[in-house]
Amino acid sequence: MGAYQPLLGFRDFYPKNQKILNFLCQTVRKTATSFGFEEYSSPVLEPLELFTAKSGDEIVDQLFNFVDKGGRAVALRPEMTPSVVRMIGANYSAVKKPIKWFNIAENFRYERPQKGRLRAFYQFNFDIFGEDSCYADAEIISLIISIMRNLKLQDFCVRISDRELWVAFLRATGIAEDDMIPILSIIDKSERENPEKTRNSLLKLCPEYAERLYTQILNLKTVHSIDDLNEFLVNNRLKDSTEIQERVRKFQKLLSVLDDFKALDSVVIDFSIVRGLAYYTGFVFEVFDRELSSRALAGGGRYDTLAEKLGYQHIPAVGAAIGDVTLVDFLSKKGLLPNTERGLDCFVIFEETCRSFAFQVTNFLRNNGFSVDFSMHELSFDKQFKSAIDRNARFAVICGEQEKVRKEIKLKDLITREEIFLPLDKLVDRLHVGEAR
Amino acid sequence: MGAYQPLLGFRDFYPKNQKILNFLCQTVRKTATSFGFEEYSSPVLEPLELFTAKSGDEIVDQLFNFVDKGGRAVALRPEMTPSVVRMIGANYSAVKKPIKWFNIAENFRYERPQKGRLRAFYQFNFDIFGEDSCYADAEIISLIISIMRNLKLQDFCVRISDRELWVAFLRATGIAEDDMIPILSIIDKSERENPEKTRNSLLKLCPEYAERLYTQILNLKTVHSIDDLNEFLVNNRLKDSTEIQERVRKFQKLLSVLDDFKALDSVVIDFSIVRGLAYYTGFVFEVFDRELSSRALAGGGRYDTLAEKLGYQHIPAVGAAIGDVTLVDFLSKKGLLPNTERGLDCFVIFEETCRSFAFQVTNFLRNNGFSVDFSMHELSFDKQFKSAIDRNARFAVICGEQEKVRKEIKLKDLITREEIFLPLDKLVDRLHVGEAR
């Protein structure tokens, strides 16, 4: 046997798995289109500097990068955001706002493969450009929730937080601007780490504020509503900051829009979410399985400064991504994967003398959009029926001498075993009824 | 403005171009499924040796290849065939035959970009494994023809040839087995080259047969039917070879099956087609625009020995691929590209006091699969109508105080300017009627 294998962390999609992927893509396409989003795509291979400009040189360790035969430093994309900002940035002024785009793309990261994380994975990306107001944030969150619901998922929750509010808390506490990003990074990690480690990291970074910050972090983790939040502000004497008041009002507005969109049931305030990446600038969120908070199913947030960072004009932006690996695991756990067994609509069974007639029928049915097959070898009726069942066909379409003379076919329902004779022009309607069951 | 560009020979797909690509993918998926083919996919990055094993080390010059961080020699795939043979080879014995698979994939070649040829391009691939008979060849050819016809293309033709017959001619002429592949390669090039160059190449390779071969090649180029072929065989005293008789019968059978499938109109015998690659072993074909025989739209053939060459068991195989670049050029020339302007189904227009009601309506319509949007800013009715028209919406759905009280909406057809009041539960049916127009 041949010794070839896919690369470590890469997947072959045999038809059963491809059907699952296509089912996700169809649901995403349909839902995003209903929200007025348009699909785009971009090359899997990009100039390396597009990624280092956004994430710094450290990102290179996680990339599939190389120098091509023309001497260009290139990399397989690890995520869509730099590419979509490049596309939007190139002709932002010429386009009506807001721009609502979605994308289905494979991304590549040179990481150790583990449960829920591969080296090549699909992401569904959704972004709104050119809109400052929290309606854009609400649209993105509602869209993610609608996709989950259209997949029949219920036991998920969107944990929403606000980086701006975190920054305002830190500022009111007296933290220096330069320490903000490192502290947000400590908060991001705090959920997955030993509390002592978090405390030590804070002590190292800003000894004079560490204890107060540590208590605040613990307290904020218990805040799950606007009422909780106001109580926290009063208790921590943060209520008087105009900056904080402003962000709380915005948070309240976001939740009220989500309520209008009947999305509030799936949402919870959770300040332990800050998202690792440095470029988020406002509301951030992650979506989790309610029962098992393992790896996030989706995540996103506002990133109003990235376009400028990449050398384009100021472009307000909010986006989210869903990954295929954790999503399929979740659907599988809930028994919500589509039936990948579904086979042919029809298998055409014929006597050798009626081959032309049978092909005419096959052709007619295929042209009408049914999936149809037949045996390529001269087989007995019995063996042809066996093939029909092997191929999981819904109907057998029988073309024998008798049928050829009558200019009809015999349709056999392979589930009910019911048989009827039909002229070709009645067949399509009859099959559509069969489909609908 | 930012200085980032896609790499040379790579494409960004803005929504208009993405719509064209999606239209091709949908047509391919629908048609291939109607023929009983199942979709699969495989990684864009593969071990380098998978490609060198098939095509020799020379292929490396045309690859995007590199050594990854784990020291593996890897390459972006230049074509699907090695990957699909790997997938089939890995569990061929366990699967019912024939296996009918299709795939939509981006491939990558490090070549000089030119008209109709890019460094990254999509290919639609179709293969049947495990079937020796010419029904498999006919299925593949019929499928390609059906896809072209479903795209409303007519002025194309499938030029079919037979490598086995060419080999039989050469054998009967006395050519040594080792010279066959080089001669087929000369024939392949002869269509695009000066006749003198072809003659000289033959003189160099096999001086004693060169003149006779050259005349045969010229004569065979005028053969376009089985009658022509038989005449050629008589004239060249090739009629008595059993091997040749056998292949001619097979060719006749192939054409008769294509006739049963109503595909013969689009087919012509053409012995100038031999396909460059060494691994074809039977019928080969290419599809061209009838008016302008520039670059082929599609091509394929039988390759019964490749699986063994890659270290798997013997697997009869026949396949074809369509490229997106030449196909889109052809569709564009014929005015057959889809309308990429189509916009929203509905734009919801509302008074600020009716925001919740408007969002409820938006939600309802989106859940019913319509593409719906609204203004994220407080705007006058006039400005909202302008947005609706900018977004190319088919209908305006008006939610004002009057409508909120009546628990109805006002539907305005933005083409006919017709207005009606409707309760929500009547709206969906009314919009479906609008859709159908």
Side-chain angles (χ1 to χ4, degrees):
Chain A
M1 288 291 91
Y4 301 101
Q5 299 290 332
L7 293 168
L8 184 71
F10 286 73
R11 289 171 291 177
D12 283 331
F13 285 80
Y14 279 83
K16 282 193 180 198
N17 287 329
Q18 184 71 41
K19 274 181 194 138
I20 293 171
L21 182 62
N22 286 1
F23 163 73
L24 297 184
C25 293
Q26 273 160 26
T27 307
V28 163
R29 275 206 178 95
K30 203 176 156 188
T31 314
T33 304
S34 82
F35 274 68
F37 284 66
E38 291 190 290
E39 190 172 350
Y40 71 94
S41 62
S42 71
V44 291
L45 198 69
E46 290 270 17
L48 176 64
E49 55 171 358
L50 183 64
F51 304 118
T52 54
K54 171 177 171 254
S55 309
D57 287 337
E58 316 85 72
I59 185 84
V60 177
D61 289 342
Q62 293 165 42
L63 296 179
F64 282 92
N65 64 304
F66 60 102
V67 174
D68 79 4
K69 295 192 165 70
R72 297 169 200 87
V74 297
L76 289 173
R77 64 170 168 240
E79 55 156 331
M80 278 306 297
T81 311
S83 301
V84 68
V85 171
R86 172 174 65 63
M87 286 176 72
I88 293 287
N91 65 353
Y92 183 66
S93 313
V95 185
K96 300 255 177 234
K97 282 71 165 181
I99 302 164
K100 300 170 81 174
W101 276 13
F102 79 99
N103 156 275
I104 300 173
E106 209 172 3
N107 298 334
F108 305 86
R109 291 188 196 160
Y110 195 84
E111 296 180 307
R112 196 168 57 81
Q114 49 188 289
K115 182 160 171 56
R117 187 184 282 179
L118 295 170
R119 288 186 168 173
F121 52 95
Y122 283 90
Q123 260 188 1
F124 307 103
N125 292 272
F126 315 91
D127 293 274
I128 300 179
F129 298 96
E131 179 58 50
D132 272 316
S133 82
C134 70
Y135 284 108
D137 306 68
E139 273 277 273
I140 291 283
I141 294 167
S142 300
L143 172 56
I144 299 289
I145 291 172
S146 284
I147 289 169
M148 296 289 167
R149 289 179 183 168
N150 287 344
L151 291 170
K152 310 266 182 291
L153 288 167
Q154 288 170 332
D155 305 332
F156 65 92
C157 79
V158 184
R159 295 157 66 185
I160 306 187
S161 173
D162 182 3
R163 290 262 285 216
E164 284 278 297
L165 204 45
W166 259 117
V167 167
F169 294 155
L170 297 177
R171 199 173 280 136
T173 310
I175 303 290
E177 295 292 323
D178 282 355
D179 288 341
M180 302 244 175
I181 295 286
I183 290 176
L184 289 175
S185 170
I186 293 169
I187 298 165
D188 179 49
K189 289 193 190 104
S190 70
E191 213 188 351
R192 299 178 290 276
E193 279 179 351
N194 185 314
E196 275 316 299
K197 196 162 176 200
T198 303
R199 181 181 243 145
N200 288 338
S201 303
L202 289 171
L203 274 167
K204 220 184 203 163
L205 190 72
C206 47
E208 70 273 42
Y209 299 108
E211 285 303 328
R212 187 167 165 205
L213 265 179
Y214 183 68
T215 315
Q216 274 191 14
I217 292 172
L218 289 186
N219 288 339
L220 266 170
K221 287 198 180 189
T222 67
V223 166
H224 294 305
S225 67
I226 295 292
D227 286 346
D228 289 352
L229 179 57
N230 280 321
E231 197 185 315
F232 166 85
L233 295 177
V234 170
N235 292 345
N236 288 270
R237 297 193 204 122
L238 293 165
K239 189 83 191 167
D240 295 336
S241 150
T242 338
E243 193 185 3
I244 289 176
Q245 282 170 5
E246 174 64 24
R247 285 308 298 183
V248 173
R249 257 197 306 276
K250 212 157 183 183
F251 214 147
Q252 221 157 355
K253 173 80 185 176
L254 174 69
L255 296 177
S256 102
V257 177
L258 288 172
D259 195 20
D260 284 336
F261 271 102
K262 306 279 171 257
L264 206 56
D265 283 357
S266 307
V267 160
V268 64
I269 294 181
D270 189 334
F271 283 97
S272 58
I273 302 294
V274 292
R275 308 279 288 155
L277 299 162
Y279 69 87
Y280 285 107
T281 58
F283 296 118
V284 287
F285 59 91
E286 291 183 0
V287 185
F288 287 87
D289 176 354
R290 270 189 208 270
E291 285 171 33
L292 186 73
S293 295
S294 63
R295 211 174 282 281
L297 297 161
R302 182 167 280 281
Y303 55 101
D304 286 345
T305 53
L306 183 61
E308 277 169 286
K309 203 170 158 187
L310 291 181
Y312 299 96
Q313 69 196 93
H314 174 75
I315 302 177
V318 53
I322 307 176
D324 78 313
V325 185
T326 43
L327 185 58
V328 168
D329 285 347
F330 189 29
L331 286 166
S332 166
K333 202 179 86 179
K334 295 288 171 189
L336 291 170
L337 290 176
N339 175 13
T340 56
E341 285 299 334
R342 192 179 174 285
L344 297 168
D345 295 319
C346 303
F347 197 89
V348 176
I349 289 172
F350 55 97
E351 284 178 58
E352 196 49 34
T353 51
C354 306
R355 194 168 268 275
S356 285
F357 175 55
F359 287 174
Q360 188 198 328
V361 171
T362 302
N363 220 20
F364 172 78
L365 289 171
R366 287 174 171 177
N367 285 339
N368 278 282
F370 297 102
S371 63
V372 185
D373 221 334
F374 58 89
S375 168
M376 291 190 184
H377 293 269
E378 223 172 297
L379 295 176
S380 67
F381 263 43
D382 276 359
K383 287 205 168 144
Q384 290 185 64
F385 268 108
K386 191 175 171 310
S387 296
I389 287 155
D390 284 345
R391 294 290 299 280
N392 211 8
R394 180 73 181 80
F395 292 98
V397 174
I398 299 141
C399 307
E401 279 299 334
Q402 191 189 355
E403 288 81 11
K404 192 168 77 175
V405 172
R406 290 170 66 160
K407 288 193 175 138
E408 293 191 340
I409 57 89
K410 185 158 77 180
L411 185 72
K412 176 160 184 173
D413 186 321
L414 293 175
I415 297 173
T416 64
R417 332 269 317 150
E418 196 185 335
E419 293 183 354
I420 40 166
F421 283 90
L422 280 173
L424 267 193
D425 58 354
K426 296 273 160 55
L427 182 54
V428 170
D429 286 343
R430 181 65 191 73
L431 289 173
H432 277 303
V433 174
E435 280 287 281
R437 296 207 296 203
Chain B
M1 288 294 93
Y4 301 102
Q5 299 290 333
L7 293 168
L8 184 70
F10 286 72
R11 289 171 290 177
D12 283 333
F13 285 80
Y14 280 84
K16 283 192 179 199
N17 288 328
Q18 185 72 41
K19 274 180 194 141
I20 293 171
L21 181 62
N22 285 0
F23 163 73
L24 297 185
C25 292
Q26 274 160 26
T27 307
V28 163
R29 275 204 178 96
K30 205 177 154 189
T31 314
T33 304
S34 81
F35 274 68
F37 284 66
E38 291 191 290
E39 191 172 350
Y40 71 95
S41 62
S42 71
V44 292
L45 199 70
E46 291 271 16
L48 177 64
E49 54 171 358
L50 183 63
F51 305 118
T52 54
K54 171 176 171 256
S55 308
D57 287 337
E58 316 86 70
I59 186 82
V60 177
D61 289 341
Q62 293 164 43
L63 296 180
F64 282 91
N65 64 304
F66 60 102
V67 175
D68 79 4
K69 294 191 165 72
R72 296 168 201 86
V74 296
L76 290 173
R77 65 171 167 238
E79 53 156 333
M80 279 306 296
T81 311
S83 301
V84 69
V85 171
R86 171 174 65 63
M87 287 175 70
I88 292 286
N91 65 353
Y92 184 67
S93 312
V95 186
K96 299 256 177 230
K97 282 69 163 184
I99 303 164
K100 299 169 81 176
W101 276 13
F102 78 99
N103 154 276
I104 299 174
E106 209 172 3
N107 298 333
F108 305 86
R109 291 189 196 159
Y110 195 82
E111 294 180 307
R112 196 167 58 82
Q114 49 188 289
K115 180 157 175 54
R117 187 184 283 179
L118 295 169
R119 286 184 169 174
F121 53 94
Y122 284 91
Q123 262 189 2
F124 307 105
N125 292 272
F126 315 91
D127 293 274
I128 300 178
F129 299 95
E131 180 56 52
D132 272 315
S133 81
C134 69
Y135 285 108
D137 306 68
E139 273 277 273
I140 290 283
I141 294 167
S142 300
L143 172 55
I144 299 289
I145 291 172
S146 285
I147 289 169
M148 296 289 166
R149 288 180 184 167
N150 287 344
L151 291 169
K152 310 267 182 289
L153 289 167
Q154 288 170 332
D155 306 332
F156 66 90
C157 78
V158 183
R159 295 156 67 185
I160 306 185
S161 173
D162 182 3
R163 290 260 287 215
E164 282 277 297
L165 203 44
W166 260 117
V167 167
F169 293 155
L170 298 176
R171 200 172 282 137
T173 311
I175 303 291
E177 294 294 322
D178 283 355
D179 288 342
M180 302 241 175
I181 296 286
I183 289 176
L184 290 174
S185 171
I186 293 169
I187 297 164
D188 179 49
K189 289 191 189 108
S190 70
E191 214 188 351
R192 298 179 291 278
E193 279 180 350
N194 185 313
E196 275 315 299
K197 195 161 176 202
T198 303
R199 180 182 244 147
N200 288 338
S201 304
L202 290 171
L203 275 167
K204 221 180 198 168
L205 190 72
C206 49
E208 69 274 40
Y209 298 108
E211 285 304 329
R212 189 169 163 200
L213 266 179
Y214 183 66
T215 314
Q216 274 191 14
I217 292 172
L218 291 187
N219 287 339
L220 267 169
K221 286 198 180 188
T222 67
V223 167
H224 294 304
S225 68
I226 296 290
D227 286 346
D228 290 352
L229 180 57
N230 280 320
E231 197 185 317
F232 167 85
L233 296 177
V234 170
N235 292 345
N236 288 267
R237 295 190 208 126
L238 293 165
K239 190 83 191 169
D240 296 337
S241 150
T242 337
E243 192 184 6
I244 289 175
Q245 282 169 6
E246 176 63 25
R247 287 306 300 182
V248 172
R249 256 197 307 276
K250 212 157 184 183
F251 213 146
Q252 221 158 356
K253 174 81 183 176
L254 174 68
L255 296 177
S256 102
V257 177
L258 287 171
D259 195 21
D260 284 336
F261 271 103
K262 306 280 171 258
L264 206 56
D265 284 357
S266 308
V267 161
V268 63
I269 294 181
D270 189 335
F271 283 97
S272 59
I273 303 294
V274 293
R275 308 280 288 158
L277 299 163
Y279 69 87
Y280 285 108
T281 57
F283 295 117
V284 287
F285 60 90
E286 291 184 358
V287 185
F288 287 87
D289 175 354
R290 269 189 209 271
E291 285 170 32
L292 186 74
S293 294
S294 62
R295 213 174 281 281
L297 297 161
R302 182 167 279 281
Y303 56 100
D304 285 346
T305 54
L306 184 61
E308 277 169 287
K309 204 170 157 185
L310 292 180
Y312 299 97
Q313 68 197 94
H314 174 75
I315 302 178
V318 53
I322 306 176
D324 79 313
V325 184
T326 44
L327 185 59
V328 168
D329 286 348
F330 189 30
L331 286 166
S332 167
K333 203 179 85 179
K334 295 288 171 187
L336 291 170
L337 290 176
N339 175 14
T340 57
E341 286 299 334
R342 192 176 175 287
L344 297 169
D345 295 320
C346 303
F347 197 89
V348 175
I349 289 172
F350 55 97
E351 283 178 58
E352 197 48 35
T353 51
C354 305
R355 195 170 268 275
S356 285
F357 175 54
F359 286 173
Q360 188 198 327
V361 172
T362 301
N363 222 17
F364 172 78
L365 288 172
R366 286 174 172 178
N367 285 339
N368 278 282
F370 297 101
S371 64
V372 185
D373 221 333
F374 58 89
S375 168
M376 291 190 183
H377 293 270
E378 224 171 294
L379 295 177
S380 68
F381 263 44
D382 277 358
K383 286 205 168 146
Q384 290 184 65
F385 268 108
K386 192 175 168 311
S387 296
I389 287 157
D390 284 347
R391 294 289 300 279
N392 210 9
R394 179 73 180 80
F395 292 98
V397 174
I398 299 142
C399 307
E401 280 298 336
Q402 190 189 356
E403 286 81 11
K404 191 167 76 176
V405 172
R406 290 170 65 159
K407 290 193 175 141
E408 293 192 339
I409 57 88
K410 184 158 78 180
L411 185 71
K412 178 163 184 172
D413 186 320
L414 293 175
I415 296 174
T416 65
R417 334 268 318 147
E418 197 185 335
E419 293 183 353
I420 41 168
F421 284 91
L422 280 174
L424 267 194
D425 58 352
K426 295 274 159 58
L427 183 55
V428 170
D429 286 342
R430 181 65 190 75
L431 289 173
H432 277 304
V433 173
E435 278 287 282
R437 293 208 299 198

